[in-house]
Coordinates of all heavy atoms in Angstrom, one line a residue:
M1 N 7.1 20.8 -7.0 CA 6.6 21.0 -8.3 C 7.5 20.2 -9.3 O 8.8 20.3 -9.1 CB 6.6 22.4 -8.7 CG 6.1 22.7 -10.1 SD 6.0 24.5 -10.3 CE 4.6 24.6 -11.3
I2 N 6.9 19.4 -10.1 CA 7.7 18.6 -11.1 C 7.6 19.3 -12.5 O 6.5 19.5 -13.0 CB 7.2 17.1 -11.1 CG1 7.3 16.5 -9.7 CG2 8.0 16.3 -12.1 CD1 6.6 15.2 -9.6
A3 N 8.7 19.6 -13.1 CA 8.7 20.4 -14.3 C 8.1 19.6 -15.5 O 8.0 18.4 -15.4 CB 10.1 20.8 -14.7
D4 N 7.6 20.3 -16.5 CA 7.1 19.7 -17.7 C 8.1 18.8 -18.3 O 9.3 19.2 -18.5 CB 6.6 20.7 -18.7 CG 5.4 21.4 -18.2 OD1 4.6 20.8 -17.4 OD2 5.1 22.6 -18.7
G5 N 7.7 17.6 -18.7 CA 8.7 16.6 -19.3 C 9.5 15.9 -18.4 O 10.3 15.0 -18.7
A6 N 9.4 16.2 -17.1 CA 10.2 15.5 -16.0 C 9.3 14.5 -15.3 O 8.1 14.5 -15.5 CB 10.8 16.6 -15.1
G7 N 10.0 13.7 -14.5 CA 9.2 12.8 -13.6 C 10.0 12.5 -12.3 O 11.1 12.9 -12.2
L8 N 9.3 11.9 -11.4 CA 9.9 11.5 -10.2 C 9.8 10.0 -10.0 O 8.6 9.5 -9.9 CB 9.2 12.2 -9.0 CG 9.7 11.9 -7.6 CD1 11.1 12.2 -7.4 CD2 8.8 12.6 -6.6
D9 N 10.9 9.3 -10.0 CA 10.9 7.8 -9.9 C 11.4 7.5 -8.5 O 12.5 7.8 -8.1 CB 11.8 7.2 -10.9 CG 11.7 5.7 -10.9 OD1 10.6 5.1 -10.6 OD2 12.7 5.0 -11.3
I10 N 10.5 6.8 -7.7 CA 10.8 6.5 -6.3 C 11.2 5.0 -6.2 O 10.4 4.2 -6.6 CB 9.6 6.8 -5.4 CG1 9.3 8.3 -5.5 CG2 9.9 6.4 -4.0 CD1 8.0 8.7 -4.9
R11 N 12.4 4.8 -5.7 CA 12.9 3.4 -5.6 C 13.2 3.1 -4.1 O 13.5 4.0 -3.4 CB 14.2 3.3 -6.4 CG 14.0 3.5 -7.9 CD 15.2 3.3 -8.7 NE 14.9 3.6 -10.1 CZ 15.7 3.8 -11.0 NH1 17.0 3.8 -10.7 NH2 15.3 4.1 -12.2
G12 N 13.1 1.9 -3.8 CA 13.4 1.4 -2.4 C 12.3 1.8 -1.4 O 12.6 2.0 -0.2
W13 N 11.1 2.0 -1.9 CA 10.0 2.4 -1.1 C 9.6 1.3 -0.2 O 9.5 0.1 -0.6 CB 8.8 2.8 -2.0 CG 7.6 3.3 -1.3 CD1 6.5 2.5 -1.0 CD2 7.4 4.6 -0.8 NE1 5.6 3.3 -0.3 CE2 6.1 4.6 -0.2 CE3 8.1 5.7 -0.8 CZ2 5.6 5.7 0.4 CZ3 7.6 6.9 -0.3 CH2 6.3 6.8 0.3
E14 N 9.4 1.6 1.1 CA 8.9 0.6 2.1 C 7.6 1.1 2.7 O 7.6 2.2 3.4 CB 10.0 0.5 3.2 CG 11.3 -0.2 2.7 CD 12.2 -0.5 3.8 OE1 11.8 -0.8 4.9 OE2 13.5 -0.3 3.5
E15 N 6.5 0.5 2.4 CA 5.2 0.8 2.8 C 5.2 0.9 4.3 O 5.6 -0.1 5.0 CB 4.2 -0.2 2.3 CG 2.8 0.3 2.5 CD 2.4 1.4 1.5 OE1 2.8 1.3 0.3 OE2 1.6 2.2 1.9
G16 N 4.7 1.9 4.9 CA 4.6 2.1 6.4 C 5.9 2.6 7.0 O 5.9 2.9 8.2
F17 N 7.0 2.6 6.3 CA 8.2 3.1 6.8 C 8.6 4.4 6.2 O 9.1 5.3 6.8 CB 9.3 2.0 6.6 CG 10.6 2.4 7.2 CD1 10.9 2.4 8.6 CD2 11.7 2.8 6.4 CE1 12.1 2.8 9.1 CE2 12.9 3.2 6.9 CZ 13.1 3.1 8.2
S18 N 8.4 4.5 4.9 CA 8.8 5.7 4.1 C 7.5 6.5 3.8 O 6.4 5.9 3.6 CB 9.4 5.3 2.8 OG 10.5 4.5 2.9
Y19 N 7.6 7.8 3.9 CA 6.4 8.6 3.7 C 6.8 9.8 2.7 O 7.9 10.3 2.8 CB 5.9 9.3 5.0 CG 5.4 8.3 6.0 CD1 6.2 7.8 7.0 CD2 4.1 7.8 5.9 CE1 5.8 6.8 7.9 CE2 3.6 6.9 6.8 CZ 4.5 6.4 7.8 OH 4.0 5.5 8.7
L20 N 5.9 10.0 1.8 CA 6.0 11.2 0.9 C 4.8 12.0 1.1 O 3.7 11.6 0.8 CB 6.1 10.7 -0.6 CG 6.2 11.7 -1.6 CD1 7.5 12.6 -1.4 CD2 6.3 11.1 -3.0
L21 N 5.0 13.2 1.8 CA 3.9 14.0 2.2 C 3.8 15.3 1.3 O 4.8 15.8 1.0 CB 4.0 14.4 3.6 CG 4.1 13.2 4.6 CD1 4.3 13.8 6.0 CD2 2.9 12.4 4.6
V22 N 2.6 15.7 1.0 CA 2.4 17.0 0.4 C 1.3 17.7 1.1 O 0.4 17.1 1.7 CB 2.0 16.8 -1.1 CG1 3.1 16.3 -1.9 CG2 0.8 16.0 -1.3
R23 N 1.4 19.1 1.1 CA 0.3 19.9 1.7 C -1.0 19.7 1.0 O -1.0 19.6 -0.2 CB 0.7 21.3 1.8 CG 2.0 21.6 2.7 CD 2.2 23.0 3.0 NE 1.1 23.7 3.6 CZ 0.9 23.6 5.0 NH1 1.7 22.9 5.7 NH2 -0.1 24.3 5.5
K24 N -2.1 19.7 1.8 CA -3.4 19.6 1.1 C -3.8 20.8 0.3 O -4.6 20.6 -0.6 CB -4.5 19.4 2.2 CG -4.4 18.0 2.9 CD -5.5 17.7 3.8 CE -5.4 16.3 4.3 NZ -6.5 15.9 5.1
D25 N -3.1 21.9 0.5 CA -3.4 23.1 -0.3 C -2.5 23.3 -1.5 O -2.4 24.3 -2.1 CB -3.5 24.3 0.5 CG -2.2 24.6 1.2 OD1 -1.2 23.8 1.1 OD2 -2.1 25.7 1.9
S26 N -1.7 22.2 -1.8 CA -0.7 22.3 -2.9 C -1.4 22.5 -4.3 O -2.4 21.9 -4.6 CB 0.1 21.0 -3.0 OG 0.8 20.8 -1.8
K27 N -0.8 23.4 -5.0 CA -1.3 23.7 -6.4 C -0.7 22.7 -7.3 O 0.4 22.2 -7.1 CB -1.0 25.1 -6.8 CG -1.7 26.2 -6.0 CD -1.3 27.6 -6.4 CE -1.9 28.6 -5.5 NZ -1.5 29.9 -5.9
H28 N -1.4 22.4 -8.4 CA -0.9 21.5 -9.4 C -0.6 20.1 -8.9 O 0.2 19.3 -9.5 CB 0.3 22.0 -10.1 CG 0.2 23.5 -10.5 ND1 -0.6 23.9 -11.5 CD2 0.8 24.6 -10.0 CE1 -0.5 25.2 -11.6 NE2 0.3 25.7 -10.7
L29 N -1.3 19.7 -7.9 CA -1.0 18.3 -7.3 C -1.5 17.2 -8.2 O -0.8 16.2 -8.4 CB -1.7 18.2 -5.9 CG -1.5 16.9 -5.2 CD1 0.0 16.6 -5.0 CD2 -2.2 16.9 -3.9
A30 N -2.6 17.4 -8.8 CA -3.2 16.4 -9.7 C -2.2 16.1 -10.9 O -1.9 15.0 -11.3 CB -4.5 16.7 -10.3
D31 N -1.6 17.2 -11.4 CA -0.6 17.1 -12.5 C 0.6 16.4 -12.0 O 1.2 15.5 -12.7 CB -0.3 18.4 -13.1 CG 0.6 18.4 -14.3 OD1 0.3 17.6 -15.2 OD2 1.6 19.1 -14.3
A32 N 1.1 16.7 -10.9 CA 2.3 16.1 -10.3 C 2.2 14.6 -10.1 O 3.1 13.9 -10.3 CB 2.7 16.8 -9.0
L33 N 1.0 14.2 -9.6 CA 0.7 12.8 -9.4 C 0.9 11.9 -10.6 O 1.4 10.8 -10.5 CB -0.7 12.6 -8.8 CG -0.9 13.0 -7.3 CD1 -2.3 12.8 -6.9 CD2 0.0 12.3 -6.4
K34 N 0.6 12.5 -11.8 CA 0.7 11.8 -13.0 C 2.2 11.6 -13.4 O 2.5 10.7 -14.2 CB 0.0 12.5 -14.1 CG -1.5 12.7 -14.0 CD -2.1 13.5 -15.0 CE -3.5 13.9 -14.7 NZ -4.0 14.8 -15.6
K35 N 3.1 12.3 -12.8 CA 4.5 12.3 -13.1 C 5.3 11.4 -12.1 O 6.5 11.3 -12.2 CB 5.1 13.7 -13.2 CG 4.4 14.5 -14.3 CD 4.9 16.0 -14.2 CE 4.2 16.8 -15.2 NZ 4.7 18.2 -15.1
I36 N 4.7 10.9 -11.1 CA 5.3 10.1 -10.1 C 5.2 8.6 -10.3 O 4.1 8.2 -10.6 CB 4.8 10.5 -8.7 CG1 5.0 11.9 -8.4 CG2 5.4 9.6 -7.6 CD1 4.4 12.4 -7.1
T37 N 6.2 7.9 -10.3 CA 6.2 6.4 -10.3 C 6.9 5.8 -9.2 O 7.9 6.3 -8.7 CB 6.8 5.9 -11.7 OG1 8.2 6.3 -11.7 CG2 6.0 6.4 -12.9
F38 N 6.4 4.7 -8.7 CA 7.0 3.9 -7.6 C 7.6 2.6 -8.2 O 6.8 1.9 -8.8 CB 6.0 3.5 -6.5 CG 5.6 4.7 -5.7 CD1 4.6 5.6 -6.1 CD2 6.2 4.9 -4.4 CE1 4.3 6.7 -5.3 CE2 5.8 5.9 -3.6 CZ 4.8 6.8 -4.0
D39 N 8.9 2.4 -8.1 CA 9.5 1.2 -8.6 C 8.9 0.0 -7.9 O 8.9 -0.1 -6.7 CB 11.0 1.2 -8.4 CG 11.8 0.1 -9.1 OD1 11.4 -0.2 -10.2 OD2 12.7 -0.4 -8.5
G40 N 8.4 -1.0 -8.7 CA 7.8 -2.2 -8.1 C 6.3 -2.1 -7.9 O 5.7 -3.0 -7.3
Y41 N 5.7 -0.9 -8.2 CA 4.3 -0.7 -8.0 C 3.7 -0.5 -9.4 O 4.4 -0.2 -10.4 CB 4.1 0.5 -7.1 CG 4.4 0.2 -5.7 CD1 5.7 0.1 -5.2 CD2 3.4 0.1 -4.7 CE1 6.0 -0.2 -3.9 CE2 3.7 -0.1 -3.4 CZ 5.0 -0.2 -3.0 OH 5.3 -0.5 -1.7
L42 N 2.4 -0.6 -9.5 CA 1.7 -0.4 -10.8 C 1.9 1.0 -11.3 O 1.6 2.0 -10.5 CB 0.2 -0.7 -10.6 CG -0.2 -2.1 -10.4 CD1 -1.7 -2.2 -10.0 CD2 0.1 -3.0 -11.6
P43 N 2.3 1.2 -12.5 CA 2.4 2.5 -13.1 C 1.1 3.2 -13.2 O 0.1 2.6 -13.5 CB 3.1 2.3 -14.4 CG 2.9 0.8 -14.7 CD 2.6 0.1 -13.4
G44 N 1.1 4.5 -12.9 CA -0.2 5.3 -13.1 C -1.2 5.1 -12.0 O -2.3 5.5 -12.0
R45 N -0.8 4.3 -10.9 CA -1.7 4.0 -9.8 C -1.3 4.7 -8.5 O -1.5 4.2 -7.4 CB -1.8 2.5 -9.6 CG -2.4 1.7 -10.8 CD -3.8 2.1 -11.1 NE -4.7 1.8 -10.0 CZ -5.4 0.7 -9.8 NH1 -5.3 -0.3 -10.7 NH2 -6.2 0.6 -8.8
V46 N -0.7 5.9 -8.7 CA -0.3 6.7 -7.5 C -1.6 7.3 -6.9 O -2.5 7.8 -7.7 CB 0.7 7.8 -7.9 CG1 1.0 8.7 -6.7 CG2 1.9 7.1 -8.4
H47 N -1.8 7.3 -5.6 CA -3.0 7.9 -5.0 C -2.7 8.6 -3.7 O -1.6 8.4 -3.2 CB -4.0 6.8 -4.8 CG -3.6 5.7 -3.9 ND1 -2.8 4.7 -4.2 CD2 -3.8 5.6 -2.5 CE1 -2.6 3.9 -3.2 NE2 -3.1 4.4 -2.1
L48 N -3.6 9.4 -3.3 CA -3.5 10.1 -2.0 C -4.2 9.4 -0.9 O -5.3 8.9 -1.1 CB -4.0 11.6 -2.2 CG -3.4 12.4 -3.2 CD1 -4.2 13.7 -3.4 CD2 -1.9 12.7 -2.8
E49 N -3.6 9.5 0.3 CA -4.2 8.9 1.5 C -4.2 10.0 2.5 O -3.2 10.8 2.6 CB -3.4 7.7 2.0 CG -3.4 6.5 1.1 CD -2.6 5.4 1.6 OE1 -2.2 5.4 2.7 OE2 -2.4 4.4 0.8
D50 N -5.2 10.1 3.3 CA -5.2 11.2 4.4 C -4.2 10.9 5.4 O -4.1 9.8 6.0 CB -6.6 11.2 5.0 CG -6.9 12.4 5.8 OD1 -6.4 13.5 5.4 OD2 -7.6 12.3 6.8
F51 N -3.3 11.8 5.7 CA -2.2 11.6 6.7 C -2.6 12.4 8.0 O -2.6 11.8 9.1 CB -0.9 12.1 6.1 CG 0.3 11.9 7.1 CD1 0.8 10.6 7.2 CD2 0.8 12.8 7.8 CE1 1.8 10.3 8.0 CE2 1.9 12.6 8.7 CZ 2.4 11.3 8.8
N52 N -2.9 13.6 7.9 CA -3.4 14.4 9.0 C -4.2 15.6 8.4 O -4.5 15.6 7.2 CB -2.3 14.8 10.0 CG -1.3 15.8 9.3 OD1 -1.6 16.5 8.4 ND2 -0.1 15.8 9.9
K53 N -4.5 16.6 9.3 CA -5.4 17.7 8.8 C -4.7 18.6 7.7 O -5.4 19.3 7.0 CB -5.9 18.5 9.9 CG -4.8 19.3 10.7 CD -5.5 20.1 11.8 CE -4.5 21.0 12.5 NZ -4.2 22.2 11.8
D54 N -3.4 18.6 7.7 CA -2.6 19.5 6.8 C -2.0 18.8 5.6 O -1.7 19.4 4.6 CB -1.5 20.2 7.5 CG -2.1 21.1 8.6 OD1 -3.1 21.8 8.3 OD2 -1.5 21.2 9.7
Y55 N -1.8 17.4 5.7 CA -1.0 16.7 4.7 C -1.7 15.5 4.1 O -2.4 14.8 4.8 CB 0.4 16.3 5.2 CG 1.3 17.4 5.5 CD1 1.3 18.0 6.8 CD2 2.1 17.9 4.6 CE1 2.2 19.0 7.1 CE2 3.0 19.0 4.8 CZ 3.0 19.5 6.1 OH 3.9 20.6 6.3
W56 N -1.4 15.3 2.8 CA -1.8 14.0 2.1 C -0.5 13.2 2.1 O 0.6 13.7 2.0 CB -2.2 14.3 0.7 CG -3.4 15.0 0.4 CD1 -3.6 16.3 0.0 CD2 -4.8 14.5 0.6 NE1 -4.9 16.6 -0.2 CE2 -5.6 15.6 0.3 CE3 -5.3 13.3 1.1 CZ2 -7.0 15.4 0.3 CZ3 -6.7 13.2 1.2 CH2 -7.5 14.2 0.8
Q57 N -0.7 11.9 2.1 CA 0.4 10.9 1.9 C 0.3 10.4 0.5 O -0.8 9.9 0.1 CB 0.4 9.8 2.9 CG 1.4 8.7 2.7 CD 1.3 7.6 3.6 OE1 0.8 7.7 4.7 NE2 1.9 6.5 3.3
I58 N 1.4 10.4 -0.3 CA 1.3 9.9 -1.6 C 1.8 8.5 -1.5 O 2.8 8.2 -1.0 CB 2.2 10.7 -2.6 CG1 1.8 12.2 -2.6 CG2 2.3 10.1 -4.0 CD1 2.6 13.1 -3.5
S59 N 1.0 7.5 -2.1 CA 1.3 6.1 -2.1 C 1.1 5.5 -3.5 O 0.4 6.0 -4.3 CB 0.4 5.4 -1.1 OG 0.7 5.8 0.2
G60 N 1.8 4.4 -3.6 CA 1.6 3.6 -4.9 C 0.7 2.4 -4.6 O 0.5 2.0 -3.5
T61 N 0.2 1.8 -5.6 CA -0.6 0.6 -5.5 C 0.3 -0.6 -5.9 O 0.9 -0.6 -6.9 CB -1.8 0.6 -6.5 OG1 -2.6 1.8 -6.2 CG2 -2.7 -0.6 -6.4
P62 N 0.4 -1.6 -5.0 CA 1.3 -2.7 -5.2 C 0.9 -3.5 -6.5 O -0.2 -3.5 -6.9 CB 1.1 -3.6 -4.0 CG 0.5 -2.7 -2.9 CD -0.3 -1.7 -3.7
E63 N 1.9 -4.1 -7.1 CA 1.6 -5.0 -8.3 C 0.8 -6.2 -7.9 O 0.8 -6.6 -6.7 CB 3.0 -5.4 -8.9 CG 3.7 -4.2 -9.5 CD 4.9 -4.7 -10.3 OE1 5.2 -5.9 -10.4 OE2 5.6 -3.8 -10.8
P64 N 0.1 -6.8 -8.8 CA -0.7 -7.9 -8.5 C 0.0 -9.1 -7.9 O -0.6 -9.8 -7.1 CB -1.2 -8.4 -9.9 CG -1.2 -7.1 -10.7 CD 0.0 -6.3 -10.2
A65 N 1.3 -9.2 -8.1 CA 2.1 -10.3 -7.5 C 2.1 -10.1 -6.0 O 2.1 -11.1 -5.2 CB 3.5 -10.3 -8.0
T66 N 2.1 -8.9 -5.5 CA 2.1 -8.6 -4.1 C 0.8 -9.0 -3.5 O 0.8 -9.6 -2.4 CB 2.4 -7.1 -3.9 OG1 3.6 -6.7 -4.5 CG2 2.4 -6.8 -2.4
Y67 N -0.3 -8.7 -4.2 CA -1.6 -9.2 -3.7 C -1.7 -10.7 -3.7 O -2.2 -11.3 -2.8 CB -2.7 -8.6 -4.6 CG -3.0 -7.1 -4.4 CD1 -2.9 -6.2 -5.4 CD2 -3.4 -6.6 -3.1 CE1 -3.1 -4.9 -5.3 CE2 -3.6 -5.3 -2.9 CZ -3.5 -4.4 -4.0 OH -3.8 -3.1 -3.8
G68 N -1.1 -11.3 -4.7 CA -1.1 -12.8 -4.7 C -0.4 -13.4 -3.5 O -0.8 -14.3 -2.9
A69 N 0.7 -12.8 -3.2 CA 1.5 -13.3 -2.0 C 0.7 -13.1 -0.7 O 0.7 -13.9 0.2 CB 2.8 -12.5 -1.9
I70 N 0.0 -12.0 -0.6 CA -0.8 -11.7 0.6 C -1.9 -12.7 0.7 O -2.2 -13.3 1.8 CB -1.4 -10.3 0.6 CG1 -0.2 -9.3 0.7 CG2 -2.4 -10.1 1.6 CD1 -0.6 -7.8 0.5
F71 N -2.7 -13.0 -0.4 CA -3.8 -13.9 -0.4 C -3.3 -15.3 -0.2 O -3.9 -16.1 0.5 CB -4.6 -13.8 -1.6 CG -5.4 -12.5 -1.7 CD1 -5.4 -11.7 -2.8 CD2 -6.2 -12.2 -0.6 CE1 -6.1 -10.6 -2.9 CE2 -7.0 -11.0 -0.7 CZ -6.9 -10.2 -1.8
A72 N -2.1 -15.7 -0.7 CA -1.6 -17.0 -0.5 C -1.2 -17.2 1.0 O -1.5 -18.3 1.5 CB -0.3 -17.2 -1.4
G73 N -0.6 -16.2 1.6 CA -0.3 -16.3 3.0 C -1.5 -16.5 3.9 O -1.6 -17.2 4.8
A74 N -2.6 -15.7 3.5 CA -3.8 -15.8 4.3 C -4.5 -17.2 4.1 O -5.0 -17.8 5.0 CB -4.8 -14.7 3.8
G75 N -4.4 -17.7 2.8 CA -4.9 -19.1 2.6 C -4.2 -20.1 3.4 O -4.8 -21.0 4.0
V76 N -2.9 -20.1 3.4 CA -2.1 -21.1 4.2 C -2.4 -20.9 5.7 O -2.6 -21.9 6.4 CB -0.6 -20.9 3.9 CG1 0.2 -21.7 4.9 CG2 -0.2 -21.3 2.5
G77 N -2.6 -19.7 6.2 CA -2.9 -19.5 7.6 C -4.3 -20.1 7.9 O -4.5 -20.7 8.9
L78 N -5.2 -19.9 7.0 CA -6.6 -20.5 7.2 C -6.5 -22.0 7.2 O -7.2 -22.6 8.1 CB -7.5 -20.0 6.1 CG -9.0 -20.5 6.1 CD1 -9.6 -20.0 7.4 CD2 -9.7 -20.0 4.9
I79 N -5.8 -22.6 6.3 CA -5.6 -24.1 6.3 C -5.1 -24.6 7.6 O -5.6 -25.5 8.2 CB -4.8 -24.5 5.1 CG1 -5.6 -24.3 3.8 CG2 -4.4 -26.0 5.2 CD1 -4.8 -24.4 2.6
V80 N -4.0 -23.9 8.1 CA -3.3 -24.3 9.3 C -4.3 -24.2 10.5 O -4.5 -25.1 11.4 CB -2.1 -23.5 9.6 CG1 -1.5 -23.7 11.0 CG2 -1.0 -23.9 8.5
W81 N -5.0 -23.1 10.5 CA -6.0 -22.8 11.6 C -7.1 -23.9 11.6 O -7.5 -24.4 12.7 CB -6.6 -21.4 11.4 CG -7.7 -21.1 12.4 CD1 -7.6 -20.8 13.7 CD2 -9.1 -21.1 12.1 NE1 -8.8 -20.6 14.3 CE2 -9.8 -20.8 13.3 CE3 -9.9 -21.4 11.0 CZ2 -11.1 -20.7 13.4 CZ3 -11.2 -21.3 11.1 CH2 -11.9 -20.9 12.3
R82 N -7.6 -24.2 10.5 CA -8.7 -25.3 10.4 C -8.2 -26.6 10.8 O -8.9 -27.4 11.5 CB -9.3 -25.3 9.0 CG -10.1 -24.1 8.7 CD -10.9 -24.3 7.4 NE -11.7 -25.6 7.5 CZ -12.9 -25.7 7.1 NH1 -13.5 -24.7 6.5 NH2 -13.5 -26.9 7.2
R83 N -7.0 -27.0 10.4 CA -6.4 -28.3 10.8 C -6.2 -28.4 12.3 O -6.5 -29.4 12.9 CB -5.1 -28.6 10.1 CG -5.3 -28.9 8.6 CD -4.1 -29.4 8.0 NE -4.4 -29.8 6.6 CZ -3.5 -30.3 5.8 NH1 -2.3 -30.5 6.2 NH2 -3.8 -30.6 4.6
R84 N -5.7 -27.3 12.9 CA -5.5 -27.3 14.4 C -6.9 -27.4 15.1 O -7.0 -28.1 16.1 CB -4.8 -26.0 14.8 CG -3.3 -26.1 14.5 CD -2.6 -24.9 15.1 NE -1.2 -25.0 14.7 CZ -0.3 -24.3 15.3 NH1 -0.6 -23.4 16.2 NH2 1.0 -24.5 14.9
R85 N -7.8 -26.7 14.5 CA -9.2 -26.7 15.1 C -9.8 -28.1 15.0 O -10.4 -28.6 15.9 CB -10.1 -25.7 14.4 CG -11.4 -25.5 15.0 CD -12.0 -24.3 14.3 NE -13.5 -24.4 14.6 CZ -14.4 -24.1 13.7 NH1 -14.1 -23.6 12.6 NH2 -15.7 -24.2 14.1
W86 N -9.6 -28.8 13.9 CA -10.1 -30.1 13.6 C -9.4 -31.1 14.6 O -10.0 -32.0 15.1 CB -9.9 -30.5 12.2 CG -10.4 -31.9 11.9 CD1 -9.6 -33.0 11.7 CD2 -11.8 -32.3 11.7 NE1 -10.4 -34.1 11.5 CE2 -11.7 -33.7 11.5 CE3 -13.0 -31.7 11.8 CZ2 -12.9 -34.4 11.3 CZ3 -14.1 -32.4 11.6 CH2 -14.1 -33.8 11.4
C87 N -8.1 -31.0 14.7 CA -7.3 -31.9 15.6 C -7.7 -31.8 17.0 O -7.8 -32.7 17.8 CB -5.8 -31.7 15.4 SG -5.2 -32.2 13.8
G88 N -8.0 -30.6 17.4 CA -8.5 -30.3 18.8 C -9.8 -31.0 19.1 O -10.1 -31.5 20.1
R89 N -10.7 -31.0 18.1 CA -12.0 -31.6 18.3 C -11.9 -33.1 18.3 O -12.5 -33.8 19.1 CB -12.9 -31.3 17.1 CG -13.5 -29.9 17.2 CD -14.5 -29.7 16.1 NE -15.1 -28.4 16.2 CZ -15.9 -27.9 15.3 NH1 -16.3 -28.6 14.2 NH2 -16.4 -26.7 15.4
A90 N -11.0 -33.7 17.5 CA -10.8 -35.1 17.5 C -10.2 -35.6 18.8 O -10.6 -36.7 19.3 CB -9.9 -35.5 16.3
R91 N -9.3 -34.9 19.4 CA -8.8 -35.3 20.7 C -9.8 -35.2 21.8 O -9.8 -35.9 22.8 CB -7.6 -34.4 21.0 CG -6.4 -34.6 20.2 CD -5.3 -33.7 20.6 NE -4.2 -33.8 19.6 CZ -3.3 -32.9 19.4 NH1 -3.2 -31.8 20.2 NH2 -2.3 -33.1 18.5
A92 N -10.7 -34.2 21.7 CA -11.7 -34.0 22.8 C -12.7 -35.2 22.8 O -13.3 -35.4 23.8 CB -12.4 -32.7 22.6
E93 N -12.9 -35.8 21.7 CA -13.9 -36.9 21.6 C -13.4 -38.2 22.2 O -12.8 -38.8 22.7 CB -14.3 -37.1 20.2 CG -15.1 -35.9 19.6 CD -15.4 -36.1 18.2 OE1 -15.1 -37.1 17.6 OE2 -16.1 -35.2 17.6

């Protein structure tokens, strides 16, 4: 339970390594979620993910820069894959 006027600031969060779990039958969970912030994540975008039958996992939504890095990496990977595929066809001919 997070008291009125208080908040919980989470720093050094590592997605997939660190877990913040709450029981699914927790009272006042919706109010508590509004008071939690993840350093380096979008403010106000805390959400619940199903962890198991008894617990929710509380997670933050990454900032847009994180999404940009993910899409840029995927784009570079696609370019490399297409070039290797093209070079393989040219050698076969």
Side-chain angles (χ1 to χ4, degrees):
M1 181 174 215
I2 302 172
D4 288 335
L8 176 62
D9 187 28
I10 300 172
R11 297 181 183 166
W13 182 261
E14 294 184 36
E15 192 76 37
F17 182 74
S18 303
Y19 296 94
L20 180 59
L21 304 176
V22 293
R23 293 192 61 81
K24 289 188 175 182
D25 61 357
S26 296
K27 295 179 182 178
H28 312 290
L29 181 58
D31 183 52
L33 289 176
K34 296 174 189 173
K35 299 175 184 179
I36 298 173
T37 59
F38 287 81
D39 189 38
Y41 287 71
L42 289 172
R45 298 295 302 264
V46 175
H47 61 277
L48 297 174
E49 297 177 7
D50 194 35
F51 186 75
N52 63 23
K53 68 181 185 79
D54 296 320
Y55 290 94
W56 293 110
Q57 175 183 339
I58 299 176
S59 296
T61 302
E63 291 189 359
T66 304
Y67 286 120
I70 291 169
F71 289 128
V76 169
L78 180 63
I79 291 169
V80 169
W81 175 76
R82 287 190 57 137
R83 285 190 179 182
R84 286 187 180 193
R85 189 172 159 214
W86 179 257
C87 288
R89 283 187 181 174
R91 289 181 190 159
E93 292 176 357

